[in-house]
Each structure stands twice: as C-alpha cells, then as structure tokens.
C-alpha cells in the first residue's frame, strides 16, 4: 500500500509529464508505473511506493465541481515545495535542461545547517523544487 504522496494537478499535463518523467528517475531513482504524455494520469514509484502522481487539472476540476473557477489565483507566496536530496549542481543543471526554471542557483547554506547546499527551481507548472545535499 502506498503511503501519503502528492498528487500534482497540471494545467499543461504534457509539459509536466515530460519534466517529471525525465527528472524523477535521475534524481531519486523513480520508475514510471503508469501513464503517458497524453494524460490524464501518470505515477512514479520508488521501491514499490508511490512518490508522485500527476493528474490533469481540468479533469479534477470537473470531478470536484470547480471547473467554473479560474485556474490560477492572484500572485501569492508558495504554499508547497518538493524537496529532493541530490547532487545539487548536477541535478540543477539537469532540471534546467528538462524545462525547469531557475530560482536560486546552487549555493552553500551554512546558516540552514552544517554542510547544507541547495538550489531552487520551478517545474513547468511553476511549482517550487529544492535540491539539497548535506
């Protein structure tokens, strides 16, 4: 049985699929278990446990009865961030090549913890990701 894992709702399913299908195996060794770029659903596991599910936002809005609402709200602070332990420098460059948007390049963050190095970027949907090593 899968534990608690995120289900990311994507407005541009194909772009989000291509990004996560490339970066999840590279960064965390995830294996795509189901889904294609055509959508509306895909999921990736590590060791038989779900780590991310991608679902078409419009399809979920129909189910939830929210299709009449705007897809995006007004500008606001991020409320969620995906974090992955990885080779920060190589992972950052790889994610950028896959369509990620750089937010903060790789840097040491001793004020956050001894030996901590991070980089931050956004996926094609604008979700914040942190790569970290310590």
């Amino acid at each position: 049985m899968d534990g608690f894992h995120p289900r990311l709702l994507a407005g541009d399913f194909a772009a989000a699929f291509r990004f996560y299908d490339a970066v999840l195996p590279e960064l965390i060794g995830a294996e795509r278990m189901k889904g294609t770029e055509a959508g509306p659903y895909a999921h990736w596991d590590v060791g038989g446990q779900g780590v991310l599910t991608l679902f078409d936002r419009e399809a979920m809005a129909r189910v939830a009865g929210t299709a009449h609402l705007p897809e995006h709200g007004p500008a606001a602070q991020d409320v969620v961030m995906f974090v992955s332990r990885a080779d920060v420098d190589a992972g950052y460059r790889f994610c950028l090549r896959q369509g990620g948007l750089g937010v903060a390049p790789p840097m040491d963050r001793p004020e956050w913890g001894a030996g901590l190095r991070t980089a931050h970027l956004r996926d094609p949907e604008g979700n914040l990701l942190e790569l970290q090593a310590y």
Side-chain angles (χ1 to χ4, degrees):
M1 173 187 294
D2 287 340
F4 190 71
H5 64 273
R7 178 169 288 179
L8 186 59
L9 303 176
D12 183 344
F13 185 92
F17 175 90
R18 287 189 302 271
F19 179 79
Y20 284 107
D21 201 46
V23 303
L24 289 174
E26 178 76 16
L27 295 179
I28 64 172
E31 178 183 1
R32 180 170 25 103
M33 304 306 294
K34 184 174 183 179
T36 68
E37 187 175 321
Y41 176 91
H43 78 268
W44 293 263
D45 289 3
V46 172
Q49 296 295 306
V51 293
L52 180 68
T53 299
L54 188 63
F55 196 72
D56 181 75
R57 180 181 291 127
E58 184 179 320
M60 191 75 249
R62 288 192 304 268
V63 170
T66 58
H68 64 286
L69 297 174
E71 186 173 315
H72 300 285
Q77 295 292 319
D78 293 294
V79 296
V80 67
M81 176 174 68
F82 294 120
V83 178
S84 175
R85 290 187 59 191
D87 176 325
V88 173
D89 297 86
Y92 184 76
R93 289 188 304 271
F94 181 76
C95 288
L96 293 178
R97 287 193 308 271
Q98 302 309 315
L101 176 65
V103 171
M107 63 182 59
D108 294 329
R109 297 211 182 261
E111 70 279 14
W112 290 5
L116 185 62
R117 185 166 179 78
T118 67
H120 294 85
L121 56 112
R122 295 192 182 279
D123 72 8
E125 289 285 307
N127 297 297
L128 188 60
L129 286 85
E130 176 179 281
L131 304 177
Q132 63 172 236
Y134 51 91

